[in-house]
Amino acid sequence: MRLLNNPLSSLLPLLQCPPLPLRHRCRLSTLSANGGSASHRRLSTDGPAPRPVIGQDSVAVAGRSYPRDDFTNVTPRILAKVGRDLHNQSNHPLWLIKERIKAHFYSAYIGRGGNPLFSVHDNLSPVVSVEQNFDSLLIPPGHPSRKRGDNYYLNRKTMLRAHTSAHQRELVSSGLDAFLLAGDVYRRDEIDGSHYPVFHQMEGVRLFSNHELFSAVPQGEELSLFEAGGRRSPQKQEAHSLEAVKLLEFNLKLTLTRLVSHLFGEDVEVRWVDCYFPFTHPSFEMEVLFQGDWMEVLGCGVMEQELLASAGAGNKAGWAFGLGLERLAMVLYGIPDIRLFWSQDERFLKQFSVEDIQQRVVFQPLSKFPPLFNHISFWLPQTDEDEEDEEDGFSENDFYELVRSIAGDLVEKVSLVDQFTHPDTRRRSQCYSIVYRHTERTLTQQEVRLVHEEIERRAERELGVQGRY
């Protein structure tokens, strides 16, 4: 196929935009993204799901049993969240956000025959293979995002998905060119008002054939998605033509700008930040100006062509985006604490029982119960000076997870407030502040003390620390 002598000239009216600020590194977690048949299983909607069980030799979850090994680190509290599907519970704030996004895409993008262009998938099992969660997205071995301390593993080959992108390849392989995907994802993380070990993502993918991408461009029949002998640059992948990448980027940003305008209002101010993800290039984060501050709301980019080729769609090019439903709901509805999404308190849930999903909702805070503050200090396990891998030593995420497994949602925040290295022995000590606050009632110091003492005992027993209390 012959290219125009100056093919970009015909695209300039569409593509002109201000230069983008550059950020050197972005979190892998932003872009949301089972071996065998597990990924196609639907969680039961006809009755209670089978109760997850962690046995001596196996872990049972979502109706299947998985052998345990030295990588197993999932806990009963986390497994108890599997199957709750908050994003599918009518009149839950996460459901409202998901439905508003669906409704926008259904009305704004119509395919042939008048049907919605984007299909929606919101009930895929969160139990996936490690290959799905990482390898299928070109995340290399040894990448920090694979760490046992950051993920929930059933065993070395199976895990709870860390992002909904774990299903991208299988959906593209099934022949889908445009889809939205929503679900619960699981990550070991810090403890505060905006972080929780289970949260929800929604992502979108759209693929284009040569004709679909260039049909609206003058002399588009002379343009091509791909070029031979191309080189990777900050602007494009080696397989793509510059014209294709610029149109994909324009279409992606236009799509997402329309989405946030639908959610935040027509006057919303948007800016784009260059970013990095292993599975898209070029990659971007979108930030919106909300109540005087720039807030990151999603990650996106042009999908890596190698990923599409592995899914049998190497003759097409496309984009993907991913956003966090909790982040959007907390901002749009004014929800101050991420733990509230798991509340069964009718005073919380009834506020989101609306007749019209587009109805404006402003969360009215429940009674603010007083916090209780406790501290815990301990010496860290001694390790060889040359031992740098935190997987073999103490990890802050291990401590956070231990606190969660004991105290659950009684804990509002855990903060590292002090570190000390003994000048003679070189032993290291850390001190954490733990804030206890129930979202629905007042806690007593007596009941909190029982929980806190259990944290102290198990920290010594399971993490190898030595208490200083």
Side-chain angles (χ1 to χ4, degrees):
M1 179 175 291
R2 182 172 62 86
L3 298 181
L4 296 174
N5 292 331
N6 188 16
L8 281 177
S9 60
S10 61
L11 306 183
L12 286 178
L14 292 175
L15 305 178
Q16 286 175 341
C17 60
L20 303 174
L22 176 64
R23 180 177 297 167
H24 294 292
R25 184 175 182 272
C26 300
R27 292 189 303 276
L28 174 61
S29 62
T30 310
L31 180 54
S32 62
N34 269 333
S37 62
S39 61
H40 298 282
R41 294 174 56 87
R42 293 179 62 86
L43 300 179
S44 174
T45 56
D46 298 324
R51 184 176 179 180
V53 176
I54 300 179
Q56 183 174 354
D57 300 315
S58 64
V59 177
V61 59
R64 293 190 59 184
S65 181
Y66 302 87
R68 294 188 59 169
D69 60 24
D70 61 324
F71 239 57
T72 304
N73 66 353
V74 70
T75 66
R77 281 191 182 273
I78 295 302
L79 287 184
K81 307 291 187 184
V82 176
R84 289 284 299 275
D85 291 346
L86 300 183
H87 61 292
N88 287 334
Q89 294 183 13
S90 297
N91 297 306
H92 189 280
L94 298 180
W95 175 86
L96 280 181
I97 291 288
K98 183 196 73 171
E99 291 302 310
R100 288 188 65 189
I101 295 172
K102 280 173 53 179
H104 169 73
F105 274 89
Y106 278 177
S107 62
Y109 304 97
I110 305 298
R112 299 173 185 174
N115 294 319
L117 178 65
F118 285 80
S119 60
V120 177
H121 309 266
D122 58 11
N123 210 5
L124 295 175
S125 171
V127 180
V128 299
S129 70
V130 171
E131 193 275 339
Q132 275 182 293
N133 199 78
F134 297 119
D135 299 281
S136 75
L137 295 168
L138 311 180
I139 300 171
H143 192 280
S145 66
R146 291 178 177 253
K147 289 190 301 186
R148 183 173 179 267
D150 291 347
N151 299 285
Y152 289 105
Y153 285 92
L154 303 183
N155 52 46
R156 283 185 172 271
K157 294 184 177 181
T158 314
M159 63 189 296
L160 298 179
R161 63 187 170 207
H163 41 209
T164 50
S165 301
H167 303 286
Q168 265 189 22
R169 187 179 63 186
E170 66 191 84
L171 292 178
V172 172
S173 296
S174 70
L176 297 177
D177 287 341
F179 58 85
L180 300 175
L181 171 61
D184 44 334
V185 299
Y186 300 77
R187 297 202 196 125
R188 301 172 99 220
D189 208 342
E190 57 195 292
I191 301 175
D192 59 32
S194 61
H195 291 84
Y196 200 80
V198 189
F199 57 103
H200 298 75
Q201 289 183 335
M202 191 165 188
E203 70 178 81
V205 168
R206 186 171 184 188
L207 307 184
F208 297 83
S209 66
N210 209 86
H211 173 73
E212 289 168 332
L213 187 63
F214 294 118
S215 60
V217 176
Q219 296 180 282
E221 67 278 1
E222 300 185 33
L223 297 174
S224 174
L225 293 174
F226 310 110
E227 66 177 13
R231 291 186 177 183
R232 178 172 290 247
S233 70
Q235 290 75 39
K236 73 178 199 70
Q237 299 171 37
E238 50 268 57
H240 294 154
S241 69
L242 184 59
E243 302 83 28
V245 172
K246 289 301 182 182
L247 269 182
L248 287 168
E249 179 182 331
F250 174 78
N251 184 274
L252 169 63
K253 291 180 176 179
L254 179 63
T255 300
L256 295 177
T257 300
R258 286 173 173 170
L259 173 62
V260 298
S261 296
H262 170 72
L263 295 174
F264 289 88
E266 292 296 330
D267 296 331
V268 66
E269 292 187 50
V270 171
R271 72 179 184 187
W272 299 94
V273 180
D274 282 7
C275 195
Y276 165 77
F277 303 114
F279 30 85
T280 57
H281 180 76
S283 304
F284 315 98
E285 283 180 342
M286 173 194 271
E287 297 179 349
V288 299
L289 186 63
F290 188 79
Q291 297 182 347
D293 294 318
W294 286 105
M295 180 189 69
E296 171 201 331
V297 294
L298 57 84
C300 60
V302 177
M303 296 177 71
E304 284 284 353
Q305 200 60 33
E306 182 182 344
L307 190 159
L308 293 180
S310 71
N315 62 329
K316 298 179 180 180
W319 51 248
F321 73 86
L323 51 83
L325 294 179
E326 277 87 350
R327 165 68 65 87
L328 288 178
M330 292 178 78
V331 172
L332 290 173
Y333 302 138
I335 299 173
D337 190 329
I338 197 169
R339 293 177 299 165
L340 285 168
F341 290 105
W342 297 89
S343 174
Q344 298 297 308
D345 192 326
E346 282 300 314
R347 294 174 300 167
F348 173 74
L349 295 174
K350 70 180 181 181
Q351 296 187 44
F352 303 95
S353 181
V354 295
E355 294 183 2
D356 182 357
I357 61 172
Q358 306 300 345
Q359 179 179 328
R360 185 170 183 263
V361 177
V362 178
F363 173 66
Q364 300 300 314
L366 311 179
S367 299
K368 190 70 171 180
F369 300 101
L372 294 176
F373 297 87
N374 285 260
H375 289 76
I376 180 171
S377 300
F378 44 71
W379 294 106
L380 301 186
Q382 289 183 293
T383 57
D384 295 336
E385 293 185 5
D386 296 333
E387 196 173 280
E388 299 290 342
D389 187 358
E390 71 171 17
E391 297 289 276
D392 297 326
F394 177 84
S395 163
E396 287 185 23
N397 276 355
D398 287 341
F399 177 66
Y400 297 144
E401 191 57 35
L402 182 139
V403 172
R404 281 196 184 99
S405 67
I406 298 169
D409 289 351
L410 296 183
V411 175
E412 179 177 78
K413 186 174 183 179
V414 178
S415 305
L416 177 62
V417 294
D418 185 52
Q419 298 190 76
F420 169 73
T421 300
H422 194 284
D424 298 325
T425 65
R426 309 307 298 170
R427 293 187 70 187
R428 293 189 300 133
S429 170
Q430 291 184 343
C431 177
Y432 291 85
S433 169
I434 303 180
V435 181
Y436 297 86
R437 190 200 313 252
H438 204 290
T439 60
E440 299 171 9
R441 64 179 178 84
T442 298
L443 294 173
T444 67
Q445 186 62 54
Q446 181 179 7
E447 64 180 315
V448 164
R449 188 61 206 166
L450 293 174
V451 174
H452 197 74
E453 288 175 349
E454 179 66 12
I455 292 173
E456 293 173 339
R457 286 191 294 268
R458 286 181 54 182
E460 291 193 339
R461 186 171 71 245
E462 298 178 19
L463 303 181
V465 301
Q466 182 180 346
R468 300 184 65 192
Y469 29 84

